[in-house]
Amino acid sequence: MSRVQSFSSLELFRQCPRKYKFKYIERRELPPVLSAELELGRIVHDVIEKLYRAAQDGVVIARADAIDQYDRMWSGIDTKKIQPAGEYATVDDTIRAGGRLLGAFWDKYQPFDQGTLLGAEEDIAVSYTHLTLPTKR
């Protein structure tokens, strides 16, 4: 049986073959674990994607508007359910760091016209009939 594998599914298999089996083969519901790093990455990624999509249409989203979008996305999340980034960082520390990161990204790359944007979040297919994935022992 053939199935489409995402990077995330392959990475999960590499990290923990049993967890991969539960999630993708047995289709068990795994309790969601929200980490500050994953939420930060998802939110920053979403805002940066909006910046580049707008730039394709000749619109540069203002720095303050990009930061506002970032803050609004965080405000829709119950941060009490998120695991902090580390022993010495709180979720609020991560949110503040992400805002600084996004601002620095805007400062460096605006007007977001470097190169040619061919697509964002495009699906690709890879055949791996004879691929053996390494496992931890």
Side-chain angles (χ1 to χ4, degrees):
M1 177 169 98
S2 176
R3 87 173 236 39
V4 174
Q5 297 289 335
S6 65
F7 173 81
S8 299
S9 67
L10 295 172
E11 182 64 15
L12 181 62
F13 181 84
R14 186 189 68 75
Q15 291 174 351
C16 182
R18 178 167 289 182
K19 195 170 183 180
Y20 173 92
K21 179 183 174 190
F22 289 161
K23 183 171 182 176
Y24 293 104
I25 297 171
E26 296 178 4
R27 303 221 183 264
R28 290 188 194 181
E29 278 295 317
L30 300 175
V33 176
L34 293 177
S35 73
E37 298 98 328
L38 289 176
E39 285 303 299
L40 171 68
R42 182 186 63 77
I43 291 171
V44 168
H45 177 275
D46 288 351
V47 173
I48 289 173
E49 183 177 346
K50 288 177 184 177
L51 293 173
Y52 278 95
R53 286 190 186 277
Q56 271 187 308
D57 297 330
V59 176
V60 176
I61 296 173
R63 185 183 198 275
D65 292 339
I67 301 295
D68 284 345
Q69 285 182 6
Y70 171 82
D71 290 337
R72 278 194 309 276
M73 292 174 89
W74 272 110
S75 70
I77 298 171
D78 182 0
T79 57
K80 293 180 191 92
K81 295 181 179 178
I82 297 177
Q83 290 180 341
E87 187 177 341
Y88 301 106
T90 66
V91 173
D92 288 337
D93 292 336
T94 301
I95 294 170
R96 282 190 295 277
R100 289 191 303 272
L101 173 91
L102 185 60
F105 183 91
W106 193 97
D107 293 341
K108 182 172 182 176
Y109 292 106
Q110 69 84 21
F112 312 106
D113 61 355
Q114 304 80 16
T116 302
L117 181 63
L118 300 176
E121 297 301 317
E122 301 293 331
D123 290 332
I124 61 170
V126 178
S127 175
Y128 58 92
T129 308
H130 301 290
L131 176 68
T132 302
L133 298 172
T135 60
K136 291 183 179 180
R137 295 188 187 260

